[in-house]
Amino acid sequence: MTFEELRRQALIEWEEYRNNQKIRVTIGAATCGRASGALTVAEAIRQKIAELKIDALVTEVGCIGTCYAEPVVSIAKPGFPEIYYGGLTPDKAISLIEDFLIKNNPRPDIALGSLGDQVVPGIPALFDIPMLKPQVRIILRNCGFIDPENINHYIANGGYSGFNRALKMKPEEVIEEVKRSGLRGRGGAGFPTYLKWELCRKETAQEKYIICNADEGDPGAFMNRSLLEGDPHSVLEGMLIGAYAIGAKKGFIYCRAEKPLAIERLKVALKAAKEKGLIGNNILGSGFNLEIELREGAGAFVCGEETALIASIEGKRGMPTPRPPFPAQAGLWGKPTNINNVETWANVAAILQRGSEWFAQYGSEKSKGTKTFALAGKIKRTGLIEVPFGISLRQIIYEIGGGILNDKKFKAVQTGGPSGGCIPEKHLDEPVDYESLAKLGSIVGSGGMVVMDEDTCMVDVARFFMSFIQSESCGKCVPCRMGTKQMLDILNRITGGNGIPQDIDLLLSLSEGIKAGSLCGLGQTAPNPVITTLRYFRDEYEAHINLKRCPAHLCKDLINYVILPEKCQGCGICLRNCPVSAITGGKRLVHVIDQAKCIKCGTCEDVCPPRFKAVTKISGEKIELPEKPIPVTASSSQKNTADNSEK
């Protein structure tokens, strides 16, 4: 079957899906939606539709990126635009079905936005809502809008047309098109994509391989997973184009088993592409052959590094190998191999579909196109976003993300995963691209972006990421294996109240040694969280070391929970809830916490009525507290005296 015939069939099915008079309901059922109860909402919707005998089509789709508003449901009804709703529960969903489908009330109060030319009062256009308006969706163009398990939906929306175009070009012309686009690898290093392909193309071996790196092990990162769950065929199309360009006949997708839904969607996509003749022998009558195999990883962070990933596919322990030779020269089973990550392959598909000039219009001079980021942490609108390179961190955090949760003060943003750096407020107006973030001591990485507020201890943040890196070190090279362990020991000592002034210089010295001596990129960037927190938040390290004080009141060994005598009303709530009976007191007596017994769990602060706020954390502050319970009236009179004296 020719591609034109495939596309004609797909368009007929798509038109029937989009333009018939049947009511359509889509449910965002990616991992983020499911974690928020999307499947329960979907079941409630199906049952209600069946009960009301409504002729409707219910489809599960990927995530549109508004994870803060999950579960997200859209309803398309004749006479109305397609309307998206957020934050649904089963009860809200049932009410929505009754109100909208029976009573023609589109419920603007719970609507996110609408798609289509028609306007509903009180409901903005979907792509005019604050989180989506500044974005440019190239990678995410289909996510949340097509059925990821229906290949015809992808083909009808331009899918595989880039591959069909590539088959009519010489392999060298395909590589040149990618070169003109300015695409750089989205896996972290930002290496020019065309150059990898060119090096592999020039190798004369009869057998070559391509690999899709879908490992994505960074804490707080979910870009690749979401793309695979919402639009897996875009990745397969990119791999087909890359394999044709370099001359590979076998491809592998390496995806960690911790992403079961992504793996399920990939399996469905691979089967459908095979049935359509888009994978296999003599694809589309071109004489080009390619088989793609899915391999599941066990979840080792180091297998995100390409030589360790290759070792894992070969059945060996995932450990990096020295370079040269590079994988393009001698990779999988010693053969020339090209590795790109999920987002890079999806970009390739878009570039061949729309052209290199179209792609290169977005981004900055040296960083073309867009980048997806997983926006997480202390931010109001968490989610998956796609923005052109060159946008500022401030725009991402405040325009797209809506600012800091609970309107607290921004402190730092960590980009690039555990090997990235922490960037302070004074650099929020810097552009987001490979060169700018590198100057700040961070990296773009695969796209993790964790926002921190004023309550964050930056020393503890460095300790957390170093703990992750140290536990995930493969142990092959001494600088990474031993150096990260020494750094973690020092950070534990500092946050435990036992730091000494020499620790700061020792951390910096170890950082330089690890960067210079580690075998792979993961080890070489491992010290970044420590280096950047020392660079921008050195005063917090000094407070921990010299004053034995945690300014954020977070490090347990440096804080104490106390009950303020002027605020305690002797209600006994904290006493009754303390899990270790560390609180003494009685009715109408100011309660006292025995610091020797206190395990610093914070329960007393959590349960103290907000109108009192009598329990607080202190770290190094000197506060006069009663040694034993005293009458509340006495403390109240003391407070009144103090208030009068101030007046």
Side-chain angles (χ1 to χ4, degrees), residues 24 91 98 180 189 191 576 606:
R24 284 185 294 106
D91 289 342
E98 292 174 341
R180 285 195 297 268
F191 193 77
R576 293 191 295 273
D606 293 338

Side-chain angles (χ1 to χ4, degrees), residues 244-309:
Y244 174 75
I246 69 170
K249 296 180 181 179
K250 179 72 175 182
F252 292 89
I253 301 173
Y254 186 88
C255 185
R256 58 173 54 201
E258 297 166 1
K259 304 174 183 177
L261 182 59
I263 289 172
E264 179 186 329
R265 296 264 162 90
L266 276 171
K267 288 178 178 178
V268 171
L270 285 167
K271 182 181 178 182
K274 183 88 171 176
E275 290 173 349
K276 292 284 187 182
L278 292 165
I279 292 176
N281 295 322
N282 192 26
I283 300 172
L284 298 179
S286 65
F288 169 61
N289 308 322
L290 180 69
E291 296 291 344
I292 298 177
E293 186 177 326
L294 178 62
R295 291 288 180 91
E296 296 182 31
F301 179 68
V302 72
C303 286
E305 196 276 338
E306 59 184 17
T307 60
L309 185 154

Side-chain angles (χ1 to χ4, degrees), residues 170 228 280 379 384 561:
K170 294 179 180 179
L228 291 172
I379 193 161
L384 178 65
Y561 284 89

Side-chain angles (χ1 to χ4, degrees), residues 28 43 47 57 59 106 242-243 353-354 382 406 412 519 560 589 621:
E43 183 60 26
Q47 288 182 1
L57 179 63
T59 307
Q353 287 174 18
R354 302 288 296 274
T382 56
N406 299 320
L519 180 63
N560 289 308
L589 290 178
E621 297 93 337

Side-chain angles (χ1 to χ4, degrees), residues 568-572 584-592 629-633:
C568 179
Q569 300 300 307
C571 66
T584 57
K587 188 174 182 180
R588 301 297 292 168
L589 290 178
V590 171
H591 289 33
V592 176
I630 60 175
V632 167
T633 52

Side-chain angles (χ1 to χ4, degrees), residues 104-240:
N104 281 333
N105 175 9
R107 293 294 301 275
D109 57 312
I110 56 173
L112 287 175
S114 65
L115 282 177
D117 297 331
Q118 296 163 295
V119 176
V120 176
I123 301 179
L126 183 64
F127 286 100
D128 281 342
I129 67 174
M131 186 175 191
L132 296 180
K133 190 172 184 178
Q135 296 188 43
V136 175
R137 295 171 70 94
I138 294 175
I139 300 301
L140 304 179
R141 61 193 179 278
N142 292 324
C143 289
F145 302 106
I146 67 170
D147 180 353
E149 297 190 2
N150 188 330
I151 189 172
N152 284 333
H153 282 201
Y154 180 70
I155 294 174
N157 284 276
Y160 290 108
S161 64
F163 173 53
N164 184 56
R165 178 191 171 204
L167 289 176
K168 298 174 183 177
M169 302 164 67
K170 294 179 180 179
E172 294 80 7
E173 292 174 336
V174 175
I175 295 174
E176 183 63 27
E177 182 78 352
V178 174
K179 180 180 180 179
R180 285 195 297 268
S181 74
L183 177 64
R184 297 170 66 171
R186 299 300 196 248
F191 193 77
T193 301
Y194 87 91
L195 194 51
K196 265 190 176 183
W197 291 18
E198 201 171 65
L199 292 171
C200 201
R201 174 72 190 173
K202 289 178 180 178
E203 294 295 319
T204 57
Q206 291 296 311
E207 202 171 358
K208 298 179 183 180
Y209 298 100
I210 59 163
I211 296 174
C212 173
N213 181 352
D215 189 63
E216 191 177 44
D218 294 0
F222 48 89
M223 304 77 55
N224 294 348
R225 186 203 73 209
S226 294
L227 181 57
L228 291 172
E229 292 173 352
D231 193 17
H233 284 284
S234 64
V235 179
L236 299 186
E237 181 178 5
M239 293 181 70
L240 283 160

Side-chain angles (χ1 to χ4, degrees), residues 44 89-96:
T89 62
D91 289 342
K92 283 184 179 179
I94 290 170
S95 175
L96 174 63

